[in-house]
Each structure stands twice: as structure tokens, then as C-alpha cells.
């Protein structure tokens, strides 16, 4: 479905949305927020911030939640993808960023893409991977599907969905058994090796082959290649994180780098490839419930005091709710007002039927978007924004932690307003005299509060074409990789050791049974973007709509042929889609995207089981049944 740009504010009257002036819409938005806070307290309000918008806008959005409303309930779609990566990396190293630079990818000897279809989902990054491959680097891909990424690999490990910990443990056990560990690094920079080694000992390649479906020889080959490489990059994305145990999955991969010393030095590292164009920056700017800008912990009094002095605020001394917890709080009636900027949860959250009911029950929903999404259709007030990536000034931060300027290239359609201006209008209506005449003014305020950004002036960002964080001073640059301290000779400089964390392999929550015998995993395609709001308007003969991808043997057993429409049923609901045959799929596994929810609402059947640490849903593993529709049932 093609969406058209929003250019007029809308307000709800008698159950219907109708056009309104900017003044009326802003007044209505502000009144509803004020009423919520007055009647139910600040924590009845939640801010969904936009990972597609600039750092500056995310800074202002989280400041709005904290300084204007007085709550830490602010989060974004980072919760649906890489929150487990941030949690795992922060637990081991103290900070949650990917450790390396793109140049180091090009210079690597070995690249492992684990649960990542970078060729389609991160084509710019993959271009650096291909440069390394042309230079002679080896590429291993770990994915249950033979993706277009896997087609470039030297070795493809086709594991069963949800068996990554078993595979990682077997790789570790093989490295240890072959005497390939980096003893110097383990002794100096880590702790907990003995417990970890004892724990993974049971995962012989043969045992793991039975559990994961990956042949023992390939497990051994990955172990030897990774341990013996001089420069090895371990990169992962949602095949790892979108599970009920996503954080454990991430920790299992981090353990491999600790075992071999493949972190903290040039060329070797651990890299979650971030999803949205500025999801890294959104988190860095504090649009998460537990950190202020620059990843500073809200629980530290000296940190809060610094921000309170600058903002004239009283930041609550406790973590707010993350996105998943905000939805749970809606069920309890504790969260009743949401301000959603550039997020479409009604179509992107798992088990979307539940999400829709929750959003419908809100007493006050403000949506600020560039399109009238399915989420916006439920709002009490809709505010038309400009598109950050081409109609605004500001900065974005990519997966290598590089902050880059974005510049206005197009005029916004008449009637749309800049995200930051809209937030300032609302702040003024709620008693805070906010004015930022330029994005740079926001950036400079943020830099003064966030040590890791302090040295990045707009001028330097322009002159250098971008700067990686940390950048604490205006002269000089830090190394392109993180955690070099772990290699320091001086124990004081080395700081806290990086712990091996023992994690257990556990199968996906949605069990396969006789009634639901097939595994469904969901993900992306090169030609479409997330819930399709931004890519729905694009058509091409090469682009197909939603399909149910099945291994030909499974289709045959079900009596299905290519192009035939089939009914797909999970424990949550039922949808219909045409069958497509993909011999690159593991037998027993089906694949769908979530790019065409207006036609086929795939998230109405995915499971909402979430990772207890990060709150990320198990989008990658639902149990389904596929039925022939036959002649009796109309294909609707
Ligand atoms: N073209 C395009 N690009 C995008 C997006 C888009 O919608 N379209 N979205 C962006 C966003 S928000 C994100 S977060 C990224 C996501 O980027 P990716 O994570 O690369 O994308 P996905 O297709 O969701 O999942 C990656 C792979 O995980 C595999 N997988 C499934 N289950 C498992 C498992 O249990 N173990 C392992 N090892 N692998 C498994 C799938 O087969 C799939 O190929 O892409 C970003 N880039
Ligand atoms: N089944 C299944 N579901 C998934 C996933 C999966 O793998 N499988 N992946 C999950 C992941 S990783 C993610 S990130 C989420 C994405 O979930 P969402 O973030 O909810 O979905 P998007 O389609 O990316 O929505 C982006 C919205 O931002 C708006 N927008 C774009 N630019 C701007 C701007 O500059 N300003 C404003 N105000 N608005 C703007 C767009 O119009 C659009 O409505 O989906 C999750 N859902
Ligand atoms: Mo994402």
C-alpha cells in the first residue's frame, strides 16, 4: 500500500480524525499530556522516540520526557532489535557499542556474519565485507537460510533456528580442546575462564551437530579459523538478538572473542550491525530508559545533578520502563498516555493484535510521523513531521559509532514541521521556554553534558567527514576500536576484567507440536523496509509482495505448489499468503517478512515471548501449521 505524506495536523472528534490548525492540534496534544500528569502522575506517560530521526531530535525527545514531564519512560525500536547486544556488551565491557571500524572490516582476515543477512539488510557495510573478501579474507555465514549473504561465503553453517548457543559453545569447546586459546589475554584481561571451560566441555562437535544440524567438521573448521586468524571480526544481527534469550546469545558470542583475544585491538572485534539509520544515535542520546546522553547511568547522583543543573529538571532517580514494559504497564492501566514519534508499533510489535488493543485503550495518544500509519489512525492527535534524513539538519551515528552530519537536501511539503520545532512548541505549552534556532545549538548543549561527544564540533564533523565516539577533546582523535585498555601492561590501566558469562542453551518458547509442526522465522528483504510505510509506495517488476517461503520438500509433503495461497496458523491467529519455494531453507523452516502488513499481517501470528534482560521479542521463532486452502475456502 502506498502512503501519502501527512501535511495537515489531525485531531480526534467524535471518534473520527479531522483536519485541524497547528495551534489547535498542539493545544490538544499538550492538554492531554498535562491532564495525564496531573491525574495519574508523570510515569503514566511514555515517549516512543524515533530511530530514523537525528541525534538532535532524540536528545530533545528524551529531554522532553525527563525535564518537561519528569519520567524516564523513553525508548525506541532499539528494543525490538539490538537491545540484547547493548545489554550483553555493556555487561562484559562496560559499554554497549560495536567495537570496530569499517576500515578494520576491510583489513580483517576472517569475518563471521552470525544471524545476519548483511547483503540485503546492511548493503553499505557488506560492501566493506566484499572488499575484504576480494583481498582474500575468509567469510563464514551462520544462518538457517541460504541468503544472498551466504552465497558469498566460503563456509555456510546452516543451523536450526534457536540453536546458536549450542553452536557457539561447541566452537569454544573445540578451541579449548585444540589448545588454541589466547592464554595471555585470558589471564590478564578476563575472569571466570575455568567455570566457562567446564561448562562448555559437554558440547563436543558431535553433540552439537545433533542439536544444531551443523556438521561436526564445519564446527571444527570455524573454531580453527577463528582462533588462528590474526584479525577476526565477529558480527551479528537479529538472528542472534530476536530470541527469548537474545542477551544470552550475545554473551555466548562475546565469550568466543574473550577466549581468543579477538577484541580490543586493531582488526579484531565484536560488532552488532545496528538496524535503523540512527538507532545507535538514539540510544547514545539517552532515548532509552536507563541512560542519559553519553550512556551515563541515571542511578548515579552526580550524573543526575549535572543534567538537572543544566535543564532545571528533577530527573527521577530510577530507571524508566522500556518499550516492552510500557506495553505491560498499559495492561495494568498504569501507562495511559503515549507520545509516539516515528514508530509504528501496531504493525511492528510481535503478536500485534495485543498491541493494537493496548494502543486503542490509551486515553491520550499523540503520533508525530511523516505518514498516516496504522498507529497514527488510532491517535487523538496526529502531527505531520519533516523527514529527518533529507529535509532537516543534524547528525546521525552509524554502527561503527561514527557521527556524521546530515543536511537538508529537499524542502519539506507545505504544512509539515521539523520534529524538534514540534517538541519545543509542546514544551512551551507545558511551561518550559524552549527555543533552539539551529540543530547545532542542540548539539552543543548535548556535547557539554556528554564527555564521549565533547570534542565533536559541527565544524570538525564536517572537516573530517564524521568522527567515531568516544571523542572527549576538540584536539586529537581516539583509536578506531574500543577496549584497548584490556591489553595494557599496567593493571591499573587495564581496569575491570571482562567476565566470561556462563549461559545455557534453551530452545525457542513456541514449541513445535503435532498441531504446530513447522518453525516460522521472519526477517527482511532488500527491496522493502520494515512495516512498509516508507517503502510501500515503490513498485517494480522485480518486487513481489509477501510470500510464505517453504523448502520444496515441505511444500510437497503439504501438497502445495508455488504460487498457491496457503493458510498459516499459529497459536495467536491465522493469515493467508502465496507459497514460494526456496531450496535454501532448512527443511521444517518457513520464512516470511513483515514488510506488507496491510495485505498480510505477519505480526498477528508471531509470539510475544521476550528476553527477560532486554525485552526483545522472539520474532525469529514461532510455531505454525500450514494448510491448503483448497476450493472450499475463499482466498481472503
Ligand atoms: N532492505 C532492508 N534493510 C534493512 C531493514 C529493512 O527492513 N529492509 N531493516 C533494518 C533494521 S531495523 C534492522 S534491525 C536490520 C536487520 O538486519 P538482519 O538482522 O540482517 O535482518 P533479518 O532478515 O531480520 O535477520 C537476519 C537473518 O537471521 C536469520 N535467522 C533467523 N533465525 C535465526 C537463528 O536462530 N540463528 C541464526 N544464526 N540466524 C537466524 C534469518 O534467516 C535472516 O537471514 O536491517 C536493517 N536494514
Ligand atoms: N515479524 C517481525 N517484526 C519485526 C521485526 C522482525 O524481524 N520480524 N523487526 C523489528 C525491528 S528490528 C524493528 S527496528 C521494528 C521497526 O518497527 P517500527 O519502527 O515501528 O516500524 P517502521 O516501519 O520502521 O516505522 C518507521 C516510522 O517512522 C516514520 N518516520 C521516518 N522518518 C521520520 C522522521 O524523520 N520523523 C518522524 N517523526 N517520523 C519518521 C515512518 O513514516 C514510519 O511510520 O520492527 C520490528 N518488527
Ligand atoms: Mo531494527
Amino acid at each position: 500500500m502506498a502512503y501519502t505524506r501527512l501535511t495537515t495536523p489531525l485531531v480526534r472528534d467524535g471518534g473520527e480524525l479531522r483536519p485541524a490548525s497547528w495551534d489547535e492540534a498542539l493545544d490538544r496534544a499538550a492538554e492531554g499530556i498535562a491532564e495525564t500528569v496531573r491525574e495519574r502522575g508523570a510515569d503514566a506517560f511514555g515517549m516512543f522516540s524515533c530511530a530514523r530521526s537525528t541525534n538532535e531530535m532524540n536528545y530533545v525527545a528524551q529531554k522532553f520526557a525527563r525535564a518537561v514531564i519528569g519520567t524516564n519512560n523513553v525508548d525506541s525500536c532499539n528494543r525490538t532489535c539490538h537491545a540484547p547486544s547493548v545489554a550483553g556488551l555493556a555487561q562484559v565491557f562496560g559499554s554497549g557499542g560495536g567495537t570496530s571500524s569499517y576500515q578494520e572490516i576491510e583489513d580483517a582476515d576472517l569475518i563471521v556474519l552470525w544471524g545476519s543477512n548483511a547483503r540485503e539488510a546492511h548493503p553499505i557495510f557488506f560492501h566493506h565485507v566484499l572488499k575484504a573478501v576480494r583481498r582474500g579474507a575468509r567469510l563464514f555465514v551462520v544462518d538457517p537460510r541460504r541468503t544472498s549473504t551466504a552465497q558469498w561465503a566460503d563456509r555456510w553453517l546452516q543451523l536450526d533456528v534457536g540453536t546458536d548457543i549450542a553452536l557457539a559453545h561447541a566452537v569454544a569447546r573445540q578451541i579449548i580442546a585444540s589448545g588454541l586459546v589466547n592464554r595471555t589475554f585470558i589471564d590478564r584481561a578476563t575472569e571466570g575462564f575455568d567455570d566457562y571451560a567446564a561448562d562448555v566441555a559437554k558440547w563436543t562437535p558431535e553433540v552439537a551437530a545433533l542439536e544444531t544440524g551443523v556438521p561436526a567438521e564445519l564446527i571444527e573448521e570455524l573454531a580453527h579459523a577463528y582462533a588462528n586468524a590474526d584479525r577476526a571480526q565477529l558480527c551479528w544481527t537479529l538472528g542472534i538478538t530476536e530470541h527469548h534469550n537474545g542477551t544470552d546469545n550475545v554473551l555466548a558470542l562475546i565469550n568466543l572473542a574473550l577466549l581468543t583475544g579477538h577484541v580490543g585491538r586493531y582488526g579484531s572485534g565484536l560488532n552488532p550491525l545496528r538496524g535503523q539509520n540512527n538507532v545507535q544515535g538514539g540510544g547514545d542520546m539517552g532515548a532509552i530508559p536507563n541512560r542519559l546522553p553519553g550512556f551515563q547511568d541515571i542511578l548515579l547522583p552526580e550524573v543526575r545533578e549535572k543534567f538537572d543543573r543544566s535543564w532545571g529538571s528533577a530527573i527521577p532517580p530510577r530507571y524508566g520502563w522500556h518499550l516492552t514494559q510500557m506495553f505491560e504497564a498499559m495492561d495494568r492501566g498504569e501507562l495511559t498516555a503515549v507520545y509516539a514519534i516515528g514508530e509504528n508499533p501496531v504493525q511492528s510489535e510481535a503478536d500485534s493484535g495485543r498491541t493494537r488493543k493496548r494502543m486503542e485503550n490509551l486515553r491520550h495518544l499523540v503520533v508525530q510521523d511523516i505518514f498516516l500509519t496504522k498507529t497514527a489512525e488510532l491517535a487523538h492527535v496526529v502531527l505531520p513531521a519533516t523527514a529527518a534524513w533529507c529535509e532537516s539538519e543534524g547528525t546521525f551515528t552509524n554502527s561503527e559509532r561514527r557521527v556524521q552530519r546530515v543536511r537538508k537536501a529537499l524542502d519539506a511539503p507545505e504544512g509539515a514541521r521539523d520534529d524538534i520545532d514540534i517538541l519545543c512548541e509542546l514544551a512551551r505549552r507545558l511551561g518550559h521556554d524552549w527555543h533552539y534556532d539551529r540543530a547545532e545549538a542542540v548539539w552543543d548543549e548535548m556535547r557539554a553534558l556528554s564527555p564521549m561527544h565533547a570534542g565533536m564540533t559541527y565544524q570538525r564533523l564536517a572537516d573530517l567527514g564524521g568522527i567515531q565516539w568516544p571523542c572527549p577533546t576538540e584536539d586529537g582523535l581516539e583509536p578506531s576500536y574500543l577496549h584497548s585498555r584490556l591489553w595494557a601492561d599496567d593493571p591499573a590501566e587495564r581496569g575491570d576484567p571482562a567476565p566470561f558469562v556462563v549461559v545455557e542453551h534453551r530452545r525457542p518458547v513456541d514449541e513445535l507440536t503435532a498441531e504446530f509442526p513447522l518453525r516460522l522465522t521472519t526477517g527482511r528483504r532488500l527491496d522493502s523496509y520494515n512495516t512498509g510505510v516508507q517503502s510501500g509506495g515503490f513498485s517494480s517488476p522485480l518486487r513481489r509482495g509477501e510470500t510464505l517461503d517453504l523448502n520444496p520438500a515441505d511444500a510437497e509433503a503439504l501438497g502445495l505448489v508455488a504460487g498457491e495461497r496457503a493458510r498459516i496458523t499459529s497459536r495467536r491467529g491465522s493469515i493467508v499468503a502465496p507459497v514460494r519455494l526456496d531450496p535454501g531453507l532448512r527443511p521444517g523452516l518457513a520464512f516470511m517478512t513483515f514488510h506488507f502488513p496491510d495485505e498480510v499481517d505477519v505480526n498477528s501470528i508471531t509470539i510475544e515471548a521476550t528476553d527477560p534482560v532486554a525485552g526483545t521479542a522472539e520474532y525469529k521463532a514461532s510455531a505454525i501449521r500450514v494448510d491448503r486452502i483448497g476450493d472450499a475456502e475463499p482466498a481472503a
Side-chain angles (χ1 to χ4, degrees):
M1 175 174 144
Y3 288 80
T4 43
R5 278 294 288 271
L6 272 169
T7 51
T8 313
L10 306 171
V11 297
R12 183 164 299 277
D13 255 342
E16 297 285 314
L17 284 172
R18 64 153 172 86
S21 70
W22 267 103
D23 266 337
E24 184 188 10
L26 289 165
D27 287 345
R28 284 274 282 269
E31 279 158 20
I33 295 171
E35 191 181 296
T36 305
V37 176
R38 206 167 47 237
E39 291 178 4
R40 291 155 189 270
D43 286 336
F45 173 91
M47 166 72 81
F48 298 2
S49 190
C50 181
R52 280 146 295 270
S53 194
T54 59
N55 286 324
E56 290 74 4
M57 140 50 214
N58 276 279
Y59 173 83
V60 175
Q62 59 84 39
K63 180 178 167 183
F64 182 90
R66 294 185 164 116
V68 175
I69 310 296
T71 180
N72 288 312
N73 295 341
V74 51
D75 205 6
S76 80
C77 64
N78 76 80
R79 201 55 52 195
T80 62
C81 40
H82 274 295
S85 304
V86 176
L89 287 165
Q91 181 179 346
V92 175
F93 301 111
S95 85
T99 69
S100 312
S101 59
Y102 294 165
Q103 185 59 50
E104 290 167 73
I105 299 289
E106 288 186 20
D107 292 341
D109 304 316
L110 173 76
I111 299 166
V112 186
L113 293 175
W114 200 311
S116 161
N117 184 9
R119 162 77 184 78
E120 298 191 57
H122 295 92
I124 308 265
F125 171 83
F126 197 66
H127 159 85
H128 297 284
V129 172
L130 287 183
K131 280 191 174 171
V133 168
R134 290 220 180 91
R135 242 197 50 248
R138 297 189 79 204
L139 175 64
F140 280 65
V141 171
V142 183
D143 199 300
R145 299 186 303 137
R146 187 162 185 269
T147 57
S148 55
T149 307
Q151 288 167 27
W152 284 92
D154 294 286
R155 292 289 179 272
W156 167 47
L157 282 65
Q158 188 181 27
L159 84 176
D160 195 8
V161 165
T163 63
D164 296 274
I165 292 180
L167 181 62
H169 280 2
V171 170
R173 187 249 167 224
Q174 193 58 26
I175 291 173
I176 297 167
S178 311
L180 295 173
V181 300
N182 189 324
R183 254 293 149 200
T184 320
F185 184 78
I186 291 173
D187 290 345
R188 276 186 166 198
T190 72
E191 65 184 14
F193 170 73
D194 292 341
D195 287 347
Y196 170 68
D199 183 71
V200 299
K202 57 182 177 285
W203 289 106
T204 62
E206 293 71 27
V207 169
L210 283 177
E211 183 62 19
T212 63
V214 178
E217 311 78 68
L218 275 181
I219 299 176
E220 287 165 22
E221 200 178 339
L222 173 56
H224 284 256
Y226 186 66
N228 286 327
D230 179 21
R231 293 169 172 178
Q233 292 289 348
L234 184 41
C235 310
W236 69 87
T237 54
L238 305 186
I240 281 296
T241 59
E242 280 182 344
H243 285 284
H244 75 284
N245 54 350
T247 306
D248 284 356
N249 281 343
V250 169
L251 289 164
L253 298 191
I254 294 174
N255 286 336
L256 298 179
L258 299 183
L259 210 51
T260 50
H262 281 317
V263 66
R265 57 194 178 84
Y266 187 87
S268 280
L270 289 163
N271 296 294
L273 314 173
R274 303 304 301 262
Q276 312 262 351
N277 44 344
N278 197 32
V279 65
Q280 176 74 48
D284 298 345
M285 292 299 113
I288 42 175
N290 57 349
R291 293 287 182 275
L292 285 154
F295 220 65
Q296 299 176 83
D297 195 336
I298 285 176
L299 298 185
L300 298 175
E302 63 275 21
V303 167
R304 282 198 313 279
E305 274 160 32
K306 176 173 71 173
F307 282 88
D308 285 340
R309 250 197 324 277
S310 164
W311 294 350
S313 56
I315 299 168
R318 56 181 178 277
Y319 294 154
W321 287 319
H322 60 56
L323 212 62
T324 311
Q325 291 166 330
M326 287 197 245
F327 285 116
E328 290 163 0
M330 291 179 204
D331 290 341
R332 299 192 302 274
E334 291 173 16
L335 190 120
T336 60
V338 164
Y339 186 176
I341 307 178
E343 291 271 313
N344 187 21
V346 166
Q347 295 187 316
S348 59
E349 288 290 316
D351 193 358
S352 56
R354 281 183 72 173
T355 311
R356 168 173 277 278
K357 283 199 203 85
R358 289 159 166 168
M359 301 298 282
E360 278 170 354
N361 286 339
L362 288 171
R363 289 168 59 98
H364 189 56
L365 173 62
V366 181
V367 170
Q368 178 171 318
D369 205 295
I370 57 179
F371 295 111
L372 187 68
T373 61
K374 288 290 172 288
T375 304
E377 283 177 8
L378 303 180
H380 300 91
V381 182
V382 179
L383 304 171
T386 59
W389 67 276
C390 58
E391 297 164 359
S392 308
E393 296 287 322
T395 58
F396 284 169
T397 308
N398 69 7
S399 292
E400 60 163 356
R401 297 168 280 105
R402 185 178 303 281
V403 179
Q404 289 168 291
R405 293 274 304 274
V406 287
R407 291 179 178 78
K408 181 175 162 164
L410 294 174
D411 286 330
E414 181 87 25
R417 289 178 75 162
D418 185 87
D419 281 311
I420 295 178
D421 286 347
I422 301 174
L423 282 158
C424 288
E425 285 282 1
L426 285 177
R428 286 202 287 278
R429 281 169 169 76
L430 294 165
H432 293 254
D433 190 23
W434 285 9
H435 287 278
Y436 295 104
D437 56 348
R438 283 166 306 131
E440 188 175 7
V442 179
W443 183 253
D444 286 339
E445 176 182 312
M446 188 282 303
R447 269 191 324 122
L449 293 163
S450 168
M452 72 187 212
H453 295 101
M456 299 182 187
T457 62
Y458 261 33
Q459 191 58 52
R460 279 189 94 196
L461 289 173
D463 291 347
L464 297 172
I467 301 176
Q468 286 178 284
W469 64 249
C471 176
T473 59
E474 286 186 29
D475 41 15
L477 293 173
E478 299 289 303
S480 62
Y481 53 95
L482 297 179
H483 316 313
S484 58
R485 66 172 175 91
L486 293 171
W487 291 93
D489 289 328
D490 176 0
E493 206 183 310
R494 237 166 22 233
D496 291 337
F500 283 95
V501 183
V502 174
V503 292
E504 281 301 315
H505 164 57
R506 285 172 296 130
R507 291 227 141 209
V509 174
D510 213 10
E511 270 180 64
L512 299 182
T513 56
E515 196 186 353
F516 299 104
L518 287 177
R519 184 58 78 204
L520 170 70
T521 198
T522 62
R524 287 156 176 79
R525 240 189 254 156
L526 178 65
D527 58 39
S528 301
Y529 187 69
N530 290 353
T531 63
V533 175
Q534 289 173 264
S535 54
F538 145 73
S539 69
S540 137
L542 298 176
R543 189 176 192 233
R544 60 189 147 87
E546 191 64 83
T547 53
L548 170 71
D549 294 4
L550 291 173
N551 182 286
D554 289 324
E556 198 186 334
L558 290 161
L560 290 164
V561 296
E564 178 177 354
R565 288 155 68 81
R567 180 164 294 281
I568 306 125
T569 308
S570 79
R571 294 184 172 95
R572 271 78 43 202
S574 174
I575 53 177
V576 171
V579 170
R580 180 176 162 272
L581 302 183
D582 179 357
L585 272 169
R586 260 190 87 79
L589 179 66
F591 176 80
M592 300 185 83
T593 76
F594 62 116
H595 294 319
F596 310 92
D598 297 323
E599 290 83 33
V600 185
D601 189 2
V602 172
N603 274 327
S604 67
I605 68 167
T606 50
I607 186 169
E608 206 204 10
T610 53
D611 178 68
V613 181
T616 302
E618 195 155 50
Y619 292 106
K620 292 288 180 264
S622 296
I624 56 163
R625 180 179 70 240
V626 175
D627 293 306
R628 283 204 71 193
I629 291 181
D631 292 334
E633 190 176 357

